[in-house]
Amino acid sequence: MKDSRQTDGRQPGSNEERGWIPLPRKVVVDTDAELAADRQLRHWLDEAFEACRTAGGFDNLSGTGKPLQVPTGDPLAALLKNANAAPPWVTLRKDVRDRIAKLNRLLLQQPDHPDIDGLFTEINDKIDTLNVQAPSLSLQRRRITRDNIAEQLEKWL
């Protein structure tokens, strides 16, 4: 007589033999619990909004009765502008500009100062970082040397 069990350990007619059948989402997810949580959140938000309105929280808002100014173009740029925050590459550009101006003054006052070569290296490293971060090739800058610092300073200002 032949054994009816399979040799690989699966029982005949098992789910493993037939394959896995996924259940529909409505069977797996408790939609009633989801709806109750959603209603509770909306109720809480509605109560908070109504409490603020009745307390006069919306009475003296700037721009009341005026049309909304909808920004066009890049939404991230508009968000940064409204927050008075500059992109990192703009902040770095200003820092490099200030450092070049200080280095130029130092070169004019003390051309043999021992820290000058280190300052050139530091500024050129920052220029390289700026060139990587700048969003356009036209915003990239050349490295500075003793020979071109006056010319580059004019371009940075």
Side-chain angles (χ1 to χ4, degrees):
M1 245 189 162
K2 194 172 186 184
D3 189 7
S4 64
R5 287 185 287 158
Q6 295 180 354
T7 58
D8 62 1
R10 290 186 293 176
Q11 295 295 323
S14 70
N15 285 340
E16 293 173 1
E17 184 179 89
R18 290 180 296 182
W20 184 74
I21 301 172
L23 295 174
R25 183 179 190 287
K26 66 181 182 179
V27 173
V28 176
V29 176
D30 188 359
T31 54
D32 291 335
E34 280 185 343
L35 289 174
D38 188 46
R39 271 190 238 115
Q40 184 177 6
L41 176 65
R42 288 184 190 186
H43 179 68
W44 176 81
L45 289 173
D46 290 339
E47 284 180 359
F49 180 82
E50 189 61 30
C52 184
R53 188 182 66 76
T54 56
F58 301 121
D59 294 344
N60 296 323
L61 294 176
S62 63
T64 301
K66 297 177 185 174
L68 292 175
Q69 297 291 331
V70 179
T72 58
D74 184 16
L76 179 61
L79 179 71
L80 290 173
K81 183 178 177 184
N82 287 340
N84 292 328
W89 66 270
V90 172
T91 306
L92 182 59
R93 184 179 65 189
K94 291 177 182 177
D95 180 40
V96 170
R97 180 192 62 210
D98 295 342
R99 288 175 185 258
I100 291 173
K102 288 178 185 176
L103 179 59
N104 191 45
R105 285 193 299 272
L106 181 63
L107 274 172
L108 294 174
Q109 294 170 355
Q110 301 175 16
D112 296 330
H113 194 279
D115 294 337
I116 287 180
D117 291 331
L119 293 172
F120 270 109
T121 303
E122 183 181 312
I123 291 172
N124 283 327
D125 289 345
K126 288 189 177 287
I127 290 173
D128 292 341
T129 302
L130 172 70
N131 288 341
V132 169
Q133 292 180 359
S136 169
L137 290 175
S138 64
L139 298 172
Q140 294 186 357
R141 299 287 192 251
R142 289 181 46 205
R143 295 172 61 102
I144 60 168
T145 62
R146 286 181 183 261
D147 298 330
N148 72 358
I149 189 168
E151 173 191 338
Q152 290 299 315
L153 181 59
E154 289 179 22
K155 290 181 179 179
W156 280 86
L157 297 177

